[in-house]
Each structure stands twice: as C-alpha cells, then as structure tokens.
Amino acid sequence: MIDKKIYSKKEVTIFNGVINLIKKGDNLYTIKVSDIAKSADIGKGTIYDYFGSKEETISKALIYYMNSEMESSYNRIMIKESFKEKYYEILLIIKDSYKSNLFIVSSILSSAGLKELYKHLADEGCNTNYFFSSINNIIVHLLETGKKDGIVTVEEDFYYFVMAIRGSVSTFSHYIGKKEYYKDINVEKAMDTSYKILLKSLK
Amino acid sequence: MIDKKIYSKKEVTIFNGVINLIKKGDNLYTIKVSDIAKSADIGKGTIYDYFGSKEETISKALIYYMNSEMESSYNRIMIKESFKEKYYEILLIIKDSYKSNLFIVSSILSSAGLKELYKHLADEGCNTNYFFSSINNIIVHLLETGKKDGIVTVEEDFYYFVMAIRGSVSTFSHYIGKKEYYKDINVEKAMDTSYKILLKSLK
Amino acid sequence: MIDKKIYSKKEVTIFNGVINLIKKGDNLYTIKVSDIAKSADIGKGTIYDYFGSKEETISKALIYYMNSEMESSYNRIMIKESFKEKYYEILLIIKDSYKSNLFIVSSILSSAGLKELYKHLADEGCNTNYFFSSINNIIVHLLETGKKDGIVTVEEDFYYFVMAIRGSVSTFSHYIGKKEYYKDINVEKAMDTSYKILLKSLK
Amino acid sequence: MIDKKIYSKKEVTIFNGVINLIKKGDNLYTIKVSDIAKSADIGKGTIYDYFGSKEETISKALIYYMNSEMESSYNRIMIKESFKEKYYEILLIIKDSYKSNLFIVSSILSSAGLKELYKHLADEGCNTNYFFSSINNIIVHLLETGKKDGIVTVEEDFYYFVMAIRGSVSTFSHYIGKKEYYKDINVEKAMDTSYKILLKSLK
DNA sequence: AATGAATGAGAATTCATTCAT
DNA sequence: CATGAATGAATTCTCATTCAT
C-alpha cells in the first residue's frame, strides 16, 4: 500500500511538541514557533533543522499524529469481538479524541474536511488519502462482522453501508461536540441512540 | 424570541467584505484587516469605527451571515410542500453552501462546532444558541410534516428523531465535502441514499 | 535617453537614511533594517511599505544616490572653463566623495565594479548603465574641451582617450584611498602628478 | 623582512575552503561558516579549533591567499626578460585573477582598498603593508628594467613612476571588469592601449 | 582531534491598530 | 465620518558558536 514515512527521533519530539499544544487546547492557527520549541523542550532553531517552516512543521505533525491515532484506533476496534462492541468502541474513540482536543480525527470521520487546514497538507506528498482509506478499511471490517453477526440483512450497495455507518457515527460526534445543548442526554443514551439508528438502516 | 440585531449600512458593507473573502476561498484564520478593507472597498480605519478588533469584525460577520443564510434556508424549506421535498431542499442548501465556500453552515449542521473558531463568538452576546435553535426549529417542522405525510411511524423520543435527521443529512455533507473520493457516485445518488437511510430510521 | 525614476518623498527619506549610515562609515553589508529606520527617523514597518526587502532598499538607495551625485558632479565640471580646471574638479570630486565614505563613486570610476555589491542591482531595471554612460559623457566633454584648448594633440581612437583619462584619474583615487602609504605626498602633489601623467598621454 | 607565518595543514585546508567559495563567486560578506566547512570538507567545529571567529577565518584566508598569489605573481614577472614582457605579464595576471573571481588582488593594485573588508584585517598582525610593499617591489623592479631597456627616459621622482605604472595598469583592470561595456575592444587591444599609455608617460 | 546536532541571540518581516488629515 | 500612511510589537527565521560524543 502506501508506505509509511519513518521519522527521526527529533522529528517525533517536535511532533509531540505540536500535539501537546493542541491537546492543551491551543488553536491550530495561532501556535507560535517558540511555543512549539518550548513544548518540545528544544531550541527554536532545531525546528528549522528538521522542517522548512512553521506551517510544514505543524502540518506534518498533524498527519503524523492522525496516522498514529488511526493505527491505535484500528487496533482498539480489532480487539473487540462482536459488531456491537466494535461499534461502541468507535464511539468511545471519538469521545476520547474529543477530550484531548484532537477532534480533528472525529471531525474528519464526519463531514468537515481538511480543506480548512493548512494548504500545505494538500501539496505535500503527505497523503491524507492514506487516512481516508484507513477509515474505509475499518468500515469494511465492521460490515463484515455485521454480516457474520447477522445484523446486516438489508441488500444495498457498498456506498449505502458506508454512509449508514458514517451517518450514525456522526450523530454521536455531534452530540459530543455539543453536549451543552443536550443537557438531559447522557453519553450512554447518545451511544445507544446512535446504535439504534444504525441498526435500523442495516436491517 | 431572541431579538435580531439591526446593523448599519456600513456594518453590512464590512460584513459582506468578510463574507466575500471566505467565498473566494480565503482561510478564516489568515484574513488580514487590509484584505477586509479592500474587499469591502473602504478604508482600513473605517472598520475600527464600527468594530473593536479584527476578531470581533470577523466573528460578527460570520454570525450575521449565518443568521441570514439560516433565514433564507428556512424560507426555502417552508415553501416546499411534502416531507421529501423539504428534505431534499435541505440537501440542496448544503450543496449550495459548499460551492460558495460557506461550509461553515453545514459544518455546524454536522458535528464540528464553532469551538475552533474565534473564542470571541462564545463571549459576545452574539448567540450561536440562536443559530442552533433555528436548526432545531427546522427539524421540528420537518418531523411534523413527516408525521402528517405518514412517513414517521416509529415511536421514539425527540432526541432520536433529531439525530436520525442530523445523521442522514451528515452523510450528504460528507459526500459533498469529499466528492473526489466518491467518483462513481453522483449528487442524485448521494441524495437518494441519504433519504433512504433517513426513511429507514423513521419507519 | 534613459528616463529617471521619480521617487516619493518618503522613499527619498529612506534613501537618505541609508546614505547617512554609509557616510557615517557603516559597512554596506552589515546595515540593519532597524538602523535604516532609526537613521531615517521612521518606523521599521514603513520601509516595507515602500520596498520589498532590505536588499532592495539599500540597492535602490545606492542607485539613487549615485545618480544624484553624478548629476551634481556633472554640474561642477560643466561650470569650469578650461580643460585643466575641469580635470582638477574631477579630482576634487573624488576627494570629497572619499571623505564622505562614498567611495563607491570613485571606486566605480576606477576598476572595481558593482559586481561585489548586491546582486539585486544587476537584476532590477535600475540601470547602472545610466551611471556608466554619464561618466562617458563627462569624458567626451572633457576631451572636446581638451582639443579646443590645444591640449589633446595625439591622434588616437576614442578608447585610447577614455583610458588615458581613466588611468590618470585612477592614480589620484589610489592616492586618496591610501594616503597613509604616501606620507610625503600631499594632495596638491598627487593632483599635479595625475595631471602631468594625463598630459603626457594626450600629447 | 617581514617573517611569513607558517600555517598547519588543517589551517591551509580551511583557507582553501574559503578561497574556493570566492572563486565560485560567493560574496565575501555573505559566506556562512557552514559553507566554509562544506567547501573545506571538514566539520564546522574544526574551524573554531583553529580560528576564533568567522571573521578571523575569512580575513586570514584572504591574507594567506593574497600573499601566495603575490609570490607566484612575483615569480611570473621575474621570469620574463624585457620591460614589455614583464608589463604584459602583469596584465595577464590581472586577467587571470579576474577570471577566478579573485579580483581582490587587482582591486588592491588599483584604488579601492581593503578598508571595506573586514576591520579584522587592520587589527590583526596580518600586515597588509607587506602586501603593499610587495607591489612596490615589483614596480621598482619594473622601473629598473625599463631604464635598462632604455624605455624610461623622462626625469621624474619615484612617486611619478609608481603612479604612471599604476595608472596604466588600472586602465586594463577597468577594461577587464567592464568588458561588456567595451564590446568592440578585445583583450589584446586593451593590453596594447594600456602599454601605449604607459610608454607615453615614461618617455 | 574532529564533528555536527543543538542552541538562542539577533535580524528581517508582518500586520493590527492608531491618528492626522 | 472616512481614510490610509505610519508605526512597532510580535513573530518567523537565520546562522555563528558551543559542546557532548
């Protein structure tokens, strides 16, 4: 497939500097190079030894992080046995990613794309395709499990199934992002509703 | 309800300056005051006669625009007769908003929120609640029509219905935002699939 | 001929800022933007309102100054009547330009060129040709006067005459630049020797 | 006389690194330490084992090179028999030095001095006097040959002779540095003219 | 002795904001 | 009121120098 880039130790240190800032709640667009340096506990100049500009640094850090998150998410899902467990795991992943300010991930799982992020991401070889296809793999896997478990019974094309899953997942993403508007709904209820909607569309 | 702010002619000129920049594809976070002035065809200083800062200017422009878009969207939907027509109109509104780079709207209809936008929006009286409740109004109206048309037959609570609609709508938002990944799916197919998923969850 | 650029008041202010630094003895290559701003008594940012970079600012300041110096030099020479007076005036101009650290001028009158200066000068439309041809005009004028005064009697081509003058002038430039090596030679003696050598080559 | 410094192998390696950069056309004032290291094929740190700063490194490299050039120039001139041959050899040396971007030498033979170069040169024991007196030695030698050959017949003081030679030589330096302005003059013509002017002043 | 990764002081550049006109 | 030239604080980026290996 698409080969994964190998990064040097220092590059990863810098990436983590960026990620921690975002986890801390810093706005992607107002991060300063000096902040990254401080966060990574290195000199400002070092960043420029490894990347050409602030934009490149942040872009690559995001790609790197999203890919590694994707990998661990993939593993979390694979470990689970049943269709239902796997689906709920996805919802939990979204919940976790939101808590750590890395909503980017779930934001991509839903509608809003990378387009708003640094143009750099588009230019660079740094494939967001890889990211997209990883999500597809997860969806394919989920569907297969669903068929095995006798949950997916409706006859539809692949696009339908992908959208059924993405749609029901997005209801939970929306809930998580706007909890304050749904004071009387707790997380379990939101998850259950998401799952209920999914089941309907797969029967 | 919540009283709508009345803006002066000049304020609206400035708002349109901001909106046109975004329609042009400029990134919300990298817009310069001088860009706004040029786009609105006024002097830079004039902006500061009406707003306290760049952040405030952009924030208020967004709120203003989203509200007016919401109003016209509301009207577009009301004009339609049947549940199906109304739903398809929502999808068309999303499609239009994407074309003009004002994905913000659909981005809010789906999961990702304003949190990433200027903090200012939160502080200011400029209620995004108003925006949120407008969408809710639309959803309520749609559900009522659905019941009248005999399409909504399942017995569920309000949260379920809201999510069913938001979920199916979000599949179309996702499609529109990532058309390049779905080369073999045309807009009609995407709309039909979205509707099909919705129907399933309402039966 | 080559049309002269018209510069705005502020541009000239900036140019003078640069020139004064050089007159003060600052090295062309180590001047800082903040120095220019201070020297011109304006804000740092203003420089960037009028020029694209430090390099462009300094380059254009030099061109501007050399051209204006050339003009005043031309006038100083024209005012003089005889061949001898005109020639001595050239030597005095060199002496003055050296005192004010603007040896650039005499440095160009002699061998070393602009090549060592900012590349920018080469790129830009800013013609150094104009400068070179101005010097040529002076030489032509001097030769004509020399013929009228019966001083130029040898039959040679134009290149010979140009070089005869440039050569003898350069002896004085050299003296001025290295006075400390010629402790027993005063300025008058150096001028007289320069003129004596010139006469020899024109007879 | 002035005792010549003996440099270690590594020091000479570094010097050559600097010289090659200049030969390559790099600007004296914009050379970076890392460039020198790369050019000399050594580590950056090594440079600081032998010199105290970048400035010192470049200054000493220039002195070193100028001295060695002077020595070989001296030898090239000594080998020649007649006044004319010796003079033409000087012109050829200038031509060669220009080709290799080491115009410094001829730049010093003419008017513009080291003053514009690193102050360091002045401070350091590294005598530019030595360099200046070497040129004087050559001029003295040339004059003696000229008298022997019956070319120098005019009765003048030493300063006159020095300037006569420097002046005529500078015409050729100027030509070499500005060939593009003298398209219809070839090198031989420029040399002949230089010599013709010299002869006039020595008769 | 030699290296080059790491540093951070310092320089260039940007742009929100002010204010004289 | 409206303007946009001017500003300088804030930020990006560079590169001489150091020092652990």
Side-chain angles (χ1 to χ4, degrees):
Chain A
M1 301 208 176
I2 297 145
D3 49 358
K4 253 198 294 168
K5 265 237 181 80
I6 298 300
Y7 291 106
S8 77
K9 221 175 185 178
K10 190 68 53 155
E11 281 170 321
V12 172
T13 302
I14 294 167
F15 288 160
N16 286 326
V18 174
I19 301 306
N20 287 331
L21 286 173
I22 296 171
K23 283 188 178 169
K24 234 187 58 202
D26 283 20
N27 181 312
L28 209 59
Y29 289 96
T30 56
I31 287 174
K32 284 173 273 174
V33 173
S34 60
D35 292 339
I36 299 174
K38 224 176 294 163
S39 170
D41 199 30
I42 55 167
K44 237 184 321 159
T46 307
I47 291 169
Y48 289 91
D49 288 343
Y50 293 90
F51 304 98
S53 68
K54 182 179 82 155
E55 196 172 321
E56 185 188 329
T57 309
I58 296 177
S59 299
K60 290 196 171 160
L62 289 179
I63 301 276
Y64 170 80
Y65 189 71
M66 292 192 306
N67 283 338
S68 81
E69 279 296 282
M70 187 49 66
E71 206 159 333
S72 81
S73 298
Y74 188 81
N75 293 335
R76 280 176 67 173
I77 294 159
M78 287 305 133
I79 282 167
K80 297 294 169 181
E81 284 291 328
S82 70
F83 177 80
K84 186 172 177 180
E85 282 173 321
K86 283 174 194 286
Y87 186 76
Y88 273 73
E89 192 64 24
I90 291 172
L91 303 186
L92 289 173
I93 288 165
I94 288 167
K95 186 170 151 252
D96 294 348
S97 84
Y98 187 78
K99 258 202 309 223
S100 56
N101 277 304
L102 283 148
F103 205 44
I104 309 150
V105 178
S106 63
S107 150
I108 283 161
L109 280 165
S110 71
S111 64
L114 271 179
K115 223 184 57 158
E116 277 287 312
L117 285 182
Y118 290 89
K119 313 279 173 193
H120 207 258
L121 289 169
D123 312 339
E124 280 285 318
C126 30
N127 250 326
T128 54
N129 288 24
Y130 174 67
F131 186 70
F132 192 81
S133 75
S134 296
I135 293 174
N136 245 35
N137 287 344
I138 292 172
I139 291 174
V140 167
H141 169 76
L142 195 65
L143 282 173
E144 278 165 4
T145 314
K147 278 174 188 162
K148 223 184 299 163
D149 289 9
I151 282 161
V152 178
T153 52
V154 76
E155 285 284 338
E156 293 288 353
D157 57 19
F158 183 61
Y159 178 75
Y160 176 92
F161 288 126
V162 169
M163 287 302 147
I165 292 169
R166 281 188 176 272
S168 61
V169 165
S170 90
T171 67
F172 186 71
S173 294
H174 171 73
Y175 165 80
I176 284 291
K178 302 243 181 253
K179 249 196 213 135
E180 67 274 19
Y181 288 109
Y182 300 103
K183 294 230 173 67
D184 48 342
I185 310 294
N186 62 25
V187 176
E188 283 69 40
K189 164 78 177 174
M191 292 172 90
D192 292 343
T193 302
S194 169
Y195 188 59
K196 198 187 284 181
I197 290 169
L198 177 61
L199 287 190
K200 281 274 199 177
S201 58
L202 297 181
K203 290 288 174 201
Chain B
M1 310 199 168
I2 296 145
D3 51 355
K4 253 198 289 168
K5 265 240 182 83
I6 298 301
Y7 291 108
S8 76
K9 220 176 184 178
K10 191 71 47 150
E11 282 170 321
V12 172
T13 302
I14 293 168
F15 288 160
N16 285 325
V18 174
I19 302 307
N20 287 330
L21 285 173
I22 296 171
K23 284 189 178 171
K24 235 186 59 202
D26 282 21
N27 181 314
L28 211 57
Y29 289 96
T30 56
I31 286 174
K32 286 177 258 172
V33 174
S34 61
D35 292 338
I36 298 174
K38 222 178 294 163
S39 172
D41 200 28
I42 54 166
K44 241 184 314 166
T46 308
I47 292 170
Y48 287 89
D49 289 342
Y50 293 91
F51 303 99
S53 70
K54 181 178 87 155
E55 202 174 319
E56 185 189 328
T57 310
I58 295 177
S59 300
K60 290 197 170 158
L62 290 180
I63 301 280
Y64 170 79
Y65 188 72
M66 291 191 307
N67 283 338
S68 81
E69 280 295 282
M70 187 49 66
E71 204 161 335
S72 82
S73 297
Y74 189 80
N75 293 335
R76 280 175 67 173
I77 294 160
M78 287 306 133
I79 281 168
K80 296 294 169 181
E81 286 289 329
S82 70
F83 177 81
K84 185 173 178 179
E85 280 172 324
K86 282 174 196 286
Y87 186 77
Y88 272 73
E89 192 63 25
I90 290 172
L91 303 188
L92 288 173
I93 288 165
I94 288 166
K95 186 171 152 250
D96 293 347
S97 85
Y98 187 79
K99 259 203 308 222
S100 56
N101 275 306
L102 285 150
F103 206 44
I104 308 150
V105 180
S106 64
S107 152
I108 284 163
L109 281 166
S110 73
S111 64
L114 272 179
K115 220 184 59 158
E116 277 287 312
L117 286 181
Y118 292 86
K119 313 276 175 193
H120 210 259
L121 287 169
D123 312 339
E124 281 285 317
C126 29
N127 249 328
T128 54
N129 288 22
Y130 173 66
F131 185 69
F132 192 82
S133 74
S134 297
I135 293 174
N136 246 33
N137 287 344
I138 292 173
I139 292 175
V140 168
H141 169 75
L142 194 64
L143 281 173
E144 278 165 6
T145 314
K147 278 171 187 163
K148 220 185 303 165
D149 288 10
I151 283 162
V152 178
T153 53
V154 75
E155 285 284 338
E156 292 287 353
D157 58 20
F158 183 60
Y159 179 75
Y160 176 91
F161 288 125
V162 170
M163 288 302 147
I165 292 170
R166 282 188 175 274
S168 62
V169 165
S170 91
T171 67
F172 186 71
S173 293
H174 171 74
Y175 165 80
I176 284 293
K178 303 241 181 258
K179 251 196 212 132
E180 68 274 20
Y181 287 110
Y182 299 103
K183 293 231 175 63
D184 47 344
I185 309 295
N186 62 25
V187 176
E188 283 71 41
K189 164 79 176 173
M191 291 172 91
D192 293 344
T193 301
S194 170
Y195 189 61
K196 197 187 284 180
I197 290 168
L198 177 61
L199 288 190
K200 281 273 198 176
S201 58
L202 297 181
K203 290 290 173 199
Chain C
M1 304 209 173
I2 296 146
D3 49 358
K4 251 197 294 168
K5 266 238 181 81
I6 298 300
Y7 290 107
S8 77
K9 220 174 185 179
K10 190 71 48 153
E11 282 170 321
V12 172
T13 302
I14 294 168
F15 288 160
N16 286 327
V18 174
I19 301 307
N20 287 331
L21 286 173
I22 296 171
K23 283 188 179 170
K24 232 186 62 202
D26 283 20
N27 181 312
L28 210 57
Y29 289 95
T30 56
I31 287 174
K32 284 174 273 173
V33 174
S34 60
D35 293 339
I36 298 174
K38 224 176 293 165
S39 170
D41 198 30
I42 54 167
K44 239 183 320 157
T46 306
I47 291 168
Y48 288 91
D49 287 344
Y50 293 90
F51 304 98
S53 67
K54 181 179 83 156
E55 195 172 323
E56 187 189 328
T57 309
I58 297 177
S59 299
K60 289 196 171 159
L62 290 179
I63 300 279
Y64 169 81
Y65 189 71
M66 292 193 306
N67 283 338
S68 80
E69 280 297 282
M70 187 48 66
E71 206 160 332
S72 80
S73 297
Y74 188 80
N75 293 335
R76 280 176 67 172
I77 294 160
M78 286 306 132
I79 281 167
K80 298 294 169 180
E81 286 290 328
S82 70
F83 177 79
K84 185 172 177 179
E85 280 172 323
K86 282 174 194 285
Y87 187 76
Y88 273 73
E89 192 63 25
I90 291 173
L91 303 187
L92 288 173
I93 288 165
I94 287 167
K95 185 170 151 253
D96 293 347
S97 86
Y98 187 79
K99 259 203 307 223
S100 57
N101 275 306
L102 284 149
F103 204 44
I104 309 150
V105 179
S106 64
S107 152
I108 283 162
L109 280 164
S110 73
S111 63
L114 271 178
K115 222 184 58 159
E116 277 287 313
L117 285 182
Y118 290 88
K119 312 279 173 192
H120 208 259
L121 288 169
D123 311 339
E124 280 285 318
C126 30
N127 250 326
T128 54
N129 288 24
Y130 174 66
F131 186 70
F132 191 83
S133 75
S134 296
I135 294 175
N136 244 34
N137 288 343
I138 292 172
I139 292 175
V140 167
H141 169 75
L142 194 66
L143 280 173
E144 278 164 5
T145 313
K147 277 173 190 165
K148 222 186 300 167
D149 288 9
I151 283 162
V152 179
T153 52
V154 75
E155 285 282 339
E156 291 288 352
D157 57 21
F158 183 62
Y159 179 76
Y160 175 91
F161 288 125
V162 170
M163 288 301 148
I165 292 170
R166 281 187 174 275
S168 61
V169 164
S170 89
T171 66
F172 185 71
S173 293
H174 171 74
Y175 165 78
I176 284 292
K178 302 244 181 253
K179 248 194 214 137
E180 68 274 20
Y181 287 108
Y182 299 103
K183 295 231 174 64
D184 47 343
I185 310 292
N186 61 25
V187 176
E188 284 70 40
K189 164 79 176 173
M191 292 172 91
D192 293 342
T193 302
S194 170
Y195 188 59
K196 197 187 283 179
I197 289 168
L198 177 62
L199 288 189
K200 281 271 199 177
S201 58
L202 297 182
K203 291 287 172 200
Chain D
M1 298 205 177
I2 297 144
D3 49 356
K4 255 199 290 167
K5 266 237 180 87
I6 297 302
Y7 290 108
S8 76
K9 220 176 185 178
K10 191 69 51 152
E11 283 170 319
V12 171
T13 303
I14 293 168
F15 287 160
N16 286 325
V18 174
I19 301 305
N20 287 329
L21 286 174
I22 295 170
K23 284 188 177 169
K24 234 187 60 202
D26 283 20
N27 181 315
L28 212 55
Y29 288 96
T30 56
I31 287 175
K32 287 177 258 172
V33 174
S34 61
D35 292 338
I36 298 173
K38 222 178 295 163
S39 172
D41 200 29
I42 56 166
K44 242 186 312 170
T46 308
I47 292 170
Y48 288 88
D49 289 341
Y50 293 91
F51 303 98
S53 69
K54 181 179 88 155
E55 200 173 320
E56 185 189 328
T57 310
I58 296 177
S59 299
K60 290 197 170 159
L62 289 179
I63 301 279
Y64 170 80
Y65 188 72
M66 292 192 305
N67 282 338
S68 82
E69 279 296 283
M70 187 50 66
E71 203 161 336
S72 82
S73 296
Y74 189 81
N75 292 336
R76 278 175 68 173
I77 293 160
M78 287 306 133
I79 281 167
K80 297 295 170 180
E81 286 290 329
S82 70
F83 177 80
K84 185 173 178 178
E85 280 174 322
K86 283 175 195 285
Y87 187 76
Y88 273 74
E89 192 63 24
I90 290 172
L91 303 186
L92 289 173
I93 288 165
I94 287 166
K95 185 169 153 251
D96 293 348
S97 85
Y98 186 78
K99 260 202 309 222
S100 57
N101 276 306
L102 284 149
F103 206 43
I104 308 149
V105 179
S106 64
S107 153
I108 283 161
L109 281 165
S110 72
S111 64
L114 270 180
K115 220 184 59 159
E116 277 286 313
L117 286 182
Y118 293 85
K119 313 277 174 191
H120 210 258
L121 287 168
D123 312 340
E124 281 285 316
C126 28
N127 250 328
T128 54
N129 288 22
Y130 173 66
F131 186 69
F132 191 82
S133 75
S134 296
I135 293 174
N136 246 32
N137 288 343
I138 292 172
I139 291 175
V140 168
H141 169 76
L142 194 66
L143 280 173
E144 278 165 5
T145 316
K147 279 175 189 161
K148 220 185 301 162
D149 288 10
I151 282 162
V152 178
T153 54
V154 74
E155 284 285 338
E156 292 286 353
D157 57 19
F158 183 60
Y159 179 75
Y160 176 92
F161 287 126
V162 170
M163 289 301 148
I165 291 169
R166 282 188 175 273
S168 62
V169 165
S170 89
T171 68
F172 186 71
S173 294
H174 171 74
Y175 165 80
I176 284 292
K178 302 242 181 256
K179 250 195 212 134
E180 67 275 20
Y181 288 110
Y182 300 104
K183 294 232 172 64
D184 47 343
I185 310 295
N186 61 24
V187 176
E188 282 71 40
K189 164 81 177 174
M191 292 172 90
D192 292 342
T193 301
S194 169
Y195 188 59
K196 197 188 285 181
I197 289 168
L198 177 61
L199 288 189
K200 282 273 201 175
S201 59
L202 298 181
K203 288 291 173 199

